[in-house]
Amino acid sequence: MIIEKAKEYVKRVFESDHSGHDYFHTIRVYKMATHIAMEEQADLYLVQLAALLHDVDDIKLSKETYHNKDNARSFLKENHIEDLVIEKIIMIIEDISYRGSDSVVPRSLEGMCVQDADRLDAIGAIGIARAFAYGGNHNRVMHDPTCPPTMDMNAEEYHNHVSTTINHFYEKLFKLRGLMNTDTAKKIALQRDRYMKEYISVFMDEWDGVR
C-alpha cells in the first residue's frame, strides 16, 4: 500500500533529524491532516500522501531539491502514481510553507487541510517543544531581552533571519491561529494558542525573577 510505503520512506529520510522536523512530526501532521480532511470532506488520498511527503524537500532540510520537489516526485514516480495526481500533491506541498508576509492560502481544500495540520503542530505544547528543539539544534540563543523580534518579514527576510527562540513565538507562532483555513483547525488552534501564550507569560515572569 502506497501510504505504508510513504511512511517507511519518510522514516528513512528523517531518521537522523533532531531539529523538530523529524519522522514523528511528519506522522503527527499525517494524523491531524487525516482528521481535518475527514471533517472537511476533502480527498483523503491526496491529503495523506501530501502530508507524509510535505517535508522531504523542505528548504531548511534539502535546499538542493526544494525548488523542483525532487524527492517527493521521485518517490511518487517510483511507485507509479499518475502524473495528474503527482502534480496535485506537489501543488499542495508547494503551498503549505510559512513564508512570512509572502505566505499563501493553498489553492485546494486538500492543501488547506495539510497546511493547517502542519501549522497546528507548530503551536501548543508540541509547538513549544519543537521551537526549543530547533533553536538548540541551530545554536540559537533562548532569549535575549536586548534583541526585539522582527515583525512582518517577507519570504526572503524570514528564511535568512537568525533570531532567538522566544522571538520566534512573536515572529511566527503567535500568528498561526489567525492563519488557519478550515473550521476544524480553527477550533483546535484556539486552545493550543491559549496554552502557548500562557507558557510564554510564565516564562517571562520567571526570566524576570517575579515567580
Side-chain angles (χ1 to χ4, degrees), residues 58-76:
D58 187 274
I59 193 169
K60 296 184 291 297
L61 309 172
S62 185
K63 292 181 181 180
E64 65 278 7
T65 69
Y66 167 72
H67 289 292
N68 294 320
K69 305 296 181 285
D70 296 328
N71 290 332
R73 286 184 186 278
S74 294
F75 172 82
L76 293 168

Side-chain angles (χ1 to χ4, degrees), residues 174 177 192-202:
F174 288 159
R177 174 191 160 196
R192 293 193 183 194
D193 181 73
R194 183 183 301 120
Y195 180 85
M196 189 168 57
K197 288 177 177 175
E198 289 174 356
Y199 171 83
I200 292 299
S201 176
V202 173

